[in-house]
Amino acid sequence: MRTVQAVAWKEIQIYFSSPTAYIVGLIFLAMTGVFFARDVVQTQGNPFPEASLSGFFQGASIILILMAPALTMRLVAEEQKLGTIELLLTSPVRDWEVVVGKYLASLTFLLVTVAATVYYVILLVVFADPDPGPMWAGYLGLVLYGATALSIGMLTSTLTSNQIVAAVVALGILLVLYFTDYAAGTLTGLPAAIVQEIGIKSHFDDFDRGVIDTKHVVYYVIVTAFFLFLTVRALESRRWR
Amino acid sequence: MIQATGLTHFYGPNPAIEDVNFGVKRGEVLGFLGPNGAGKTTTMRILTGFMPPTRGKVTLDGYDVVEQSLDVRRRVGYLPETVPLYTDMTVTSYLKYMGTLRGMPSRNIKRRVEDVIDVCHLEDYRSSLIAKLSKGFRQRVGIAQAILHEPDVLVLDEPTIGIDPIQVVETRSLIKDLGKQQTVVLSSHILPEVSMICERVLIIHEGHIVAEDTPGNLAERLQGSDQLEVEIGGPPDEVLSELREIEGVSSVRHRSLANREVYTIRLLQGADVRDDISRAVIARGWSLLSMQSVGMTLEDIFLRLTTDEEN
Ligand SMILES: Nc1ncnc2c1ncn2[C@@H]1O[C@H](COP(=O)(O)OP(=O)(O)OP(=O)(O)O)[C@@H](O)[C@H]1O
Ligand SMILES: [Mg+2]
């Protein structure tokens, strides 16, 4: 456990001292701010204006797809590039400890960035009377969704020593998972249902509506665990290459 | 302490090392000597558990490097050839981090970090970013992290490449000191270095161990196989044929260097022909301008050892 903590802490320090992470975080805040503002402006002239964060959540779900690979691409790929992996893997550290430590660091950075958007909640509470249920559900959904996106980025970062390749491949996987909804629309019956269930976005929309369905929580937890498991395997197999 | 049997490692279709066997006793300092691409790094990576051998088995203190990798890794300190360090950390924070990874208790870490900073003369660079250190100082940080957790076995892959001659001397004596308490395995392609530090030398060439001996014995085995470089004033053709007549001479090569005639004489094993040469030259009325023995280069040694093996 101490090693997980040490690995995580080192990476967190790097996040908070590197311009890249700040730029990524700021872009997230700026973009989601635009979505939030657009949503607020649109309520003007609406006879039944709704004070909600739905616009923010929808926007955030897209931007996270870009943000997660940017946060994770460095984590393992750079160690392979610089050769520091040689000392890491010859230390008495289990491969899963390395993976979990690094993953937790990226998750921490994501949580901090998401926490910074509580600012929108405060605005809504001060100027309107929002329904708190959907907001908390939405945040829970966003964090689960982001956690899954990061786990996919972890895997691709482990598979290559090239950070750009790691980011682009993760982005590709995430885009496919995001747009499976559309594919599901062109299918019928069981295939449609399966494709629908695989998609990372379809599970997010209920949270945005204020519904916390265990099914969706389980989906994100399982997919995240699955990708982290693959990451550990990938790191192990690295020794055989 | 270390027992390796039948180590073979393939990168793709060609073996980098093939059927390598060796043992290291506790407290011994063993040197791997070999030219580029001989398979030194490959062997070290297998010893440290970075990658498993394709075939063969290594045990360290009775623990199998593949099966009980964690137990092995706890007992090994490793300096990889490229000295990979986290360049965005300071020396102290890096060493503390490595200490934690090695599972050292925190109060030990503090004490040991100070110790190794002292031993490796890094006092002035405690809070420098590693990115800003020169190659030689990075090398010291690399050694510092390798000895931090007081491992039973130290594996050092070319510990003195890229550092200046004064630091080389210091580093060698540091390794020698470490070798008094620890088992050390190091690699090098510098013969004098290995003979200086190591109690036993393994010569590895194209993935095979071609010789194994103490540096003293090795030097003896190779002695007499030296070459002589002689400068003689006289007609080259006649000098050449005269020199070739001398007993104990195996071959002679001639070079003209800016009106100096230099002859490189390869001797048969154990032969000493200096006396004969000077007599012959003087008898013919030529002048003997200089004569010196030239030690064999590493390449000569490998050539010799590998051809010896084949014969
Ligand atoms: N990662 C790798 N992939 C493919 N081939 C490799 C790899 N590493 C080493 N080799 C090959 O294996 C052989 C042995 O290499 P190794 O690095 O063990 O040699 P070395 O004795 O350490 O040489 P040097 O003195 O140059 O460090 C070489 O022919 C090399 O080309
Ligand atoms: Mg090497």
Side-chain angles (χ1 to χ4, degrees):
Chain A
M1 218 53 227
R2 240 177 103 234
T3 14
V4 174
Q5 209 182 331
V7 172
W9 182 236
K10 170 185 163 277
E11 299 298 343
I12 288 171
Q13 282 175 315
I14 291 176
Y15 275 130
F16 284 97
S17 62
S18 82
T20 329
Y22 277 109
I23 291 168
V24 170
L26 283 176
I27 289 176
F28 176 79
L29 293 180
M31 296 297 288
T32 55
V34 169
F35 281 97
F36 173 73
R38 200 195 58 169
D39 217 32
V40 170
V41 171
Q42 275 176 354
T43 59
Q44 293 196 339
N46 184 336
F48 305 105
E50 195 191 352
S52 89
L53 284 176
S54 190
F56 157 67
F57 287 133
Q58 289 301 319
S61 72
I62 296 172
I63 296 158
L64 268 184
I65 282 188
L66 301 168
M67 177 175 162
L71 287 183
T72 50
M73 63 182 190
R74 211 199 89 254
L75 290 174
V76 188
E78 190 184 56
E79 300 244 16
Q80 305 191 65
K81 185 88 170 187
L82 296 180
T84 47
I85 192 121
E86 195 164 346
L87 277 176
L88 187 62
L89 295 187
T90 53
S91 294
V93 181
R94 292 175 183 85
D95 293 342
W96 70 260
E97 292 175 318
V98 173
V99 171
V100 171
K102 287 180 178 271
Y103 175 71
L104 286 180
S106 67
L107 191 58
T108 306
F109 190 83
L110 180 80
L111 286 176
V112 170
T113 316
V114 169
T117 66
V118 168
Y119 164 73
Y120 307 139
V121 178
I122 295 170
L123 278 183
L124 281 186
V125 172
V126 169
F127 293 103
D129 184 20
D131 181 0
M135 289 198 307
W136 297 131
Y139 268 110
L140 174 65
L142 193 63
V143 167
L144 286 169
Y145 174 92
T148 303
L150 291 174
S151 71
I152 292 170
M154 276 296 293
L155 176 64
T156 60
S157 179
T158 307
L159 292 175
T160 169
S161 58
N162 184 322
Q163 295 188 34
I164 304 298
V165 171
V168 169
V169 175
L171 182 64
I173 296 174
L174 283 166
L175 283 175
V176 168
L177 289 177
Y178 189 90
F179 286 111
T180 45
D181 269 12
Y182 292 82
T186 66
L187 298 168
T188 51
L190 188 62
I194 292 174
V195 169
Q196 181 87 22
E197 287 305 318
I198 289 175
I200 190 174
K201 178 67 180 357
S202 56
H203 292 274
F204 179 63
D205 293 334
D206 272 349
F207 287 102
D208 186 20
R209 283 184 216 110
V211 182
I212 299 178
D213 188 338
T214 332
K215 178 181 106 176
H216 300 316
V217 175
V218 168
Y219 165 85
Y220 284 122
V221 171
I222 286 183
V223 173
T224 305
F226 174 69
F227 276 102
L228 288 182
F229 171 76
L230 288 185
T231 309
V232 175
R233 286 342 275 283
L235 194 63
E236 280 170 7
S237 77
R238 221 217 130 277
R239 298 174 187 269
W240 272 259
R241 261 184 267 151
Chain B
M1 192 70 190
I2 302 174
Q3 196 59 51
T5 36
L7 283 193
T8 303
H9 191 88
F10 283 81
Y11 296 104
N14 301 315
I17 55 170
E18 203 169 9
D19 196 27
V20 167
N21 300 291
F22 62 93
V24 189
K25 286 194 280 294
R26 187 179 289 275
E28 189 176 27
V29 181
L30 176 76
F32 272 89
L33 183 67
N36 292 134
K40 302 182 295 292
T41 300
T42 305
T43 312
M44 309 253 143
R45 286 183 162 171
I46 293 171
L47 280 186
T48 53
F50 180 61
M51 57 188 195
T54 312
R55 275 198 303 276
K57 185 177 158 77
V58 193
T59 59
L60 191 144
D61 207 4
Y63 297 101
D64 188 289
V65 164
V66 179
E67 304 293 326
Q68 293 149 305
S69 176
L70 274 181
D71 291 301
V72 169
R73 285 186 262 155
R74 260 191 277 278
R75 288 167 175 74
V76 175
Y78 179 34
L79 173 70
E81 184 172 24
T82 53
V83 199
L85 305 169
Y86 298 107
T87 49
D88 41 16
M89 294 175 99
T90 64
V91 172
T92 320
S93 59
Y94 172 70
L95 290 175
K96 284 186 178 153
Y97 177 60
M98 291 312 284
T100 319
L101 289 189
R102 266 70 176 270
M104 296 167 70
S106 0
R107 30 173 223 293
N108 268 8
I109 293 182
K110 233 177 159 156
R111 181 177 55 83
R112 282 294 298 161
V113 165
E114 282 311 309
D115 286 355
V116 296
I117 282 180
D118 221 42
V119 170
C120 301
H121 301 296
L122 287 161
E123 293 90 347
D124 296 340
Y125 299 90
R126 275 169 221 280
S127 39
S128 308
L129 276 184
I130 292 174
K132 298 195 172 152
L133 295 185
S134 69
K135 170 84 179 103
F137 280 91
R138 288 188 197 195
Q139 193 83 13
R140 294 186 192 193
V141 177
I143 295 178
Q145 65 79 28
I147 60 178
L148 183 66
H149 53 306
E150 301 176 277
D152 296 339
V153 177
L154 262 182
V155 179
L156 309 171
D157 197 354
E158 309 214 16
T160 60
I161 37 160
I163 58 183
D164 71 47
I166 298 164
Q167 290 184 21
V168 166
V169 173
E170 262 183 38
T171 309
R172 285 177 188 161
S173 71
L174 171 64
I175 297 170
K176 239 182 148 154
D177 280 347
L178 293 168
K180 284 176 191 148
Q181 300 120 33
Q182 282 153 312
T183 309
V184 181
V185 177
L186 66 86
S187 78
S188 175
H189 54 249
I190 307 165
L191 178 62
E193 168 168 301
V194 172
S195 12
M196 217 177 295
I197 311 175
C198 303
E199 292 152 23
R200 204 152 53 87
V201 184
L202 290 181
I203 295 188
I204 181 165
H205 183 67
E206 289 175 357
H208 296 267
I209 291 186
V210 292
E212 174 187 346
D213 224 324
T214 62
N217 285 348
L218 208 62
E220 209 159 276
R221 262 176 74 177
L222 296 168
Q223 211 160 45
S225 52
D226 284 44
Q227 306 177 37
L228 286 178
E229 210 164 75
V230 194
E231 190 183 341
I232 295 169
D237 292 344
E238 287 176 45
V239 175
L240 264 176
S241 57
E242 184 73 33
L243 287 176
R244 287 193 175 122
E245 305 264 289
I246 296 171
E247 205 172 320
V249 170
S250 113
S251 66
V252 185
R253 266 178 304 140
H254 166 244
R255 275 175 304 157
S256 297
L257 300 170
N259 63 43
R260 291 166 55 214
E261 307 297 335
V262 180
Y263 304 84
T264 310
I265 305 173
R266 199 183 269 272
L267 305 176
L268 293 177
Q269 191 143 13
D272 187 354
V273 296
R274 287 171 298 180
D275 202 33
D276 301 329
I277 291 174
S278 53
R279 278 178 211 283
V281 168
I282 287 158
R284 295 289 298 261
W286 302 326
S287 47
L288 182 60
L289 300 172
S290 80
M291 169 150 50
Q292 67 191 73
S293 51
V294 208
M296 289 179 77
T297 65
L298 194 57
E299 284 311 317
D300 292 329
I301 292 174
F302 291 119
L303 217 73
R304 196 185 157 81
L305 284 167
T306 43
T307 45
D308 271 6
E309 286 288 301
E310 278 154 22
N311 291 346

